[in-house]
Amino acid sequence: MTHRRRRRVLALVAAASLVAASCGTRLSHDDIVRAGGSTGTSNGQAAPAPSAPADGVPGVPGETGLANESGTAGTGSGTADTGSGTAGTESGTAGTTAVTSATDRPGGGTPGGPIVIGSVADSSGLGSAGYDQVGDALRAWAAVTNAKGGIDGRPVKVIIKDPGGDAAKARSQAQELVEKHKVVALVANDGWTSSVNAWKDYAEKKKVPAIGGNCYATVWETSPTFFSQCPSFDAQLYGSVFLAAKHGQGTKFGGLFCSEDAVCTTAKDRWFGQGYAKRAGLDPVYQADVSLSQPDYTSECIQARNAGVEILALATDSATTKRIASSCRRQNFTPEYLISTSVAEPDQAKFIDEIISAQQAIPFSGTSTPAYQEFAAAWEKHYQEPPNPLAVNSWAAAKIFEKAVRSAKEITRSGLIDALYRFKKERFGGLTVPLSYGPKGTDSVDCVFYMKASGGNWSAPQGDRPVCW
């Protein structure tokens, strides 16, 4: 069974399992099919329900509303929020299965009912390679959490929206999650900086906690309702060149920066304009702007080679990183590459000989701590492909939310914010650098996690211990 098919079946099985939880027994496969109706296809047309269990993917007590790849997952007939509507989709077109909207406890649901969370994450569109794992990790967390009885006996319901890089859509989807679905928090909101900036003011006005997301957006460092799972953007940028200077094979430093997003230009400004690279011990010798849509990067590779670059930083997306490395290899130019968290996918080690990467959360490979093993077991149970850093980041955001719920005096938006404010230098089981939250935003320490790729394999030389300066 393909990864995409498996994910759709997981959503279908989950949509029916809330009924199983209420009865105290597990539904048979035929019961699940009858309760679940049909699974959606990419064009939104109904497809036949599966005729066999989904490769061991279990029905999860209390789990419902997990988003499909595309289309809708029917649960009978009727409209959303009535207990028999359509399950939410990543395109953000549908509703919430088997959940009654609770106006008396906005975001928390009725006492004993599901805890509803939303996510606005760009998993499609230009530069979105690998971002589908953001939603996948959130689904995996919800599945294992509900299989263990939920959080303090209450199941978790996840609704994921995908604005596809459209900032206006991102804002409308965030508003829908808050006003229609009454989510208690927005969790793992990764993707374009422009997307999260589009709904920042709205979330602040409504006092909706946003827990985890695009760690390159500075909103996480300055907003009273945004709580990052990562070190600050500046810490990430300096940490990258700090690692390159400490562990790299040379000092001549160059960089290629995408023109499509402010994150790329900020990295260029910090490393070159504000002297981060030089302060870390590198010798900046070359920089250039590139486009993610360029068919070839031969010219930039030749210029970097002629400048004597030994470490080449790439502020681009994953697919472009591979194409740049390919263009440079054709020119017999094989520098050591410095790449960001979102680009450091498992297969990058097969395309690039030597890589240094500063990770925002615990390394996605090379560690064996209990916190990582919990994630790895959940991921392996539901997905066939190896996890990337964005999956780990999303999982970390979910675990922060989970700990906040368990610590809150009441499961409401304000209750969660109060609980989060009490976290000081918290590492959440070793998943993050020490983080502190308060009315002025996330206050992180100057630390990152260190990963290295060599000979086709990734490693975490310091495990889950952050590198600090």
Side-chain angles (χ1 to χ4, degrees):
M1 179 175 289
T2 65
H3 165 64
R4 180 175 296 181
R5 176 69 169 169
R6 188 179 184 125
R7 189 165 63 189
R8 285 201 296 264
V9 174
L10 175 62
L12 173 61
V13 174
S17 57
L18 182 61
V19 180
S22 66
C23 297
T25 60
R26 183 163 178 165
L27 296 180
S28 69
H29 173 68
D30 290 342
D31 291 332
I32 291 171
V33 171
R34 283 194 292 270
S38 60
T39 56
T41 61
S42 59
N43 60 9
Q45 299 299 314
S51 57
D55 292 349
V57 177
V60 180
E63 180 186 10
T64 179
L66 297 181
N68 315 7
E69 176 77 14
S70 55
T72 59
T75 61
S77 60
T79 58
D81 297 330
T82 62
S84 58
T86 54
T89 67
E90 288 188 331
S91 58
T93 58
T96 61
T97 310
V99 175
T100 302
S101 298
T103 56
D104 57 326
R105 292 170 57 85
T110 54
I115 302 170
V116 187
I117 65 173
S119 177
V120 182
D122 293 300
S123 60
S124 63
L126 182 66
S128 63
Y131 276 83
D132 58 326
Q133 290 199 7
V134 173
D136 289 346
L138 201 54
R139 295 182 186 93
W141 166 79
V144 298
T145 299
N146 289 337
K148 296 176 182 178
I151 303 177
D152 294 335
R154 294 182 60 181
V156 175
K157 175 182 171 58
V158 174
I159 307 170
I160 299 173
K161 302 292 186 179
D162 171 22
D166 185 326
K169 182 181 289 187
R171 180 181 172 85
S172 66
Q173 289 176 344
Q175 186 171 343
E176 179 187 346
L177 288 169
V178 171
E179 297 181 9
K180 178 180 178 182
H181 300 302
K182 310 296 182 184
V183 299
V184 70
L186 296 168
V187 181
N189 310 283
D190 219 324
W192 289 98
T193 304
S194 56
S195 292
V196 68
N197 284 343
W199 52 267
K200 166 187 175 292
D201 292 343
Y202 173 79
E204 289 177 339
K205 180 180 179 181
K206 294 293 184 178
K207 293 182 172 55
V208 180
I211 304 173
N214 174 6
C215 302
Y216 301 129
T218 56
V219 61
W220 302 100
E221 304 161 34
T222 58
S223 171
T225 62
F226 280 62
F227 305 88
S228 182
Q229 80 277 33
C230 308
S232 69
F233 187 26
D234 263 10
Q236 295 172 55
L237 290 175
Y238 185 77
S240 293
V241 290
F242 179 83
L243 289 177
K246 185 175 182 179
H247 300 289
Q249 299 176 2
T251 59
K252 299 292 184 182
F253 180 69
L256 299 180
F257 304 91
C258 78
S259 57
E260 284 82 0
D261 193 77
V263 167
C264 300
T265 56
T266 300
K268 179 174 67 173
D269 173 68
R270 299 294 193 274
W271 288 339
F272 289 86
Q274 297 191 30
Y276 282 21
K278 188 173 183 179
R279 176 153 55 94
L282 299 175
D283 180 14
V285 296
Y286 173 74
Q287 59 175 294
D289 295 330
V290 297
S291 172
L292 302 182
S293 60
Q294 275 183 232
D296 183 79
Y297 300 89
T298 297
S299 175
E300 290 82 3
C301 291
I302 292 174
Q303 292 175 49
R305 183 192 64 191
N306 291 345
V309 170
E310 296 169 306
I311 300 175
L312 183 61
L314 303 181
T316 61
D317 71 327
S318 176
T320 303
T321 295
K322 295 173 183 176
R323 291 188 291 121
I324 290 174
S326 178
S327 292
C328 290
R329 191 178 298 110
R330 289 196 297 269
Q331 303 306 316
N332 295 318
F333 177 49
T334 56
E336 192 168 25
Y337 286 88
L338 179 66
I339 62 178
S340 67
T341 293
S342 60
V343 176
E345 295 185 341
D347 68 347
Q348 290 287 10
K350 300 176 182 178
F351 287 87
I352 303 174
D353 295 332
E354 300 289 334
I355 304 174
I356 290 174
S357 182
Q359 295 292 294
Q360 300 162 337
I362 189 173
F364 61 89
S365 179
T367 62
S368 58
T369 62
Y372 180 81
Q373 289 302 316
E374 181 186 19
F375 160 74
W379 184 268
E380 184 178 357
K381 184 175 183 179
H382 296 297
Y383 304 109
Q384 298 172 343
E385 61 189 336
N388 66 26
L390 298 175
V392 179
N393 278 11
S394 180
W395 179 270
K399 296 301 286 187
I400 293 172
F401 167 77
E402 180 180 334
K403 185 160 187 173
V405 171
R406 296 187 188 279
S407 303
K409 295 178 181 178
E410 60 176 357
I411 307 176
T412 62
R413 295 166 189 163
S414 60
L416 285 179
I417 291 174
D418 289 342
L420 287 158
Y421 283 174
R422 293 195 294 272
F423 293 146
K424 303 300 178 186
K425 296 183 179 180
E426 176 66 54
R427 288 201 58 203
F428 301 98
L431 291 171
T432 71
V433 301
L435 297 172
S436 300
Y437 302 125
K440 295 183 179 180
T442 302
D443 180 18
S444 74
V445 296
D446 289 333
C447 301
V448 293
F449 292 98
Y450 171 39
M451 287 197 76
K452 179 177 177 60
S454 182
N457 297 302
W458 281 101
S459 65
Q462 294 197 190
D464 74 333
R465 291 183 294 111
V467 174
C468 303
W469 56 92

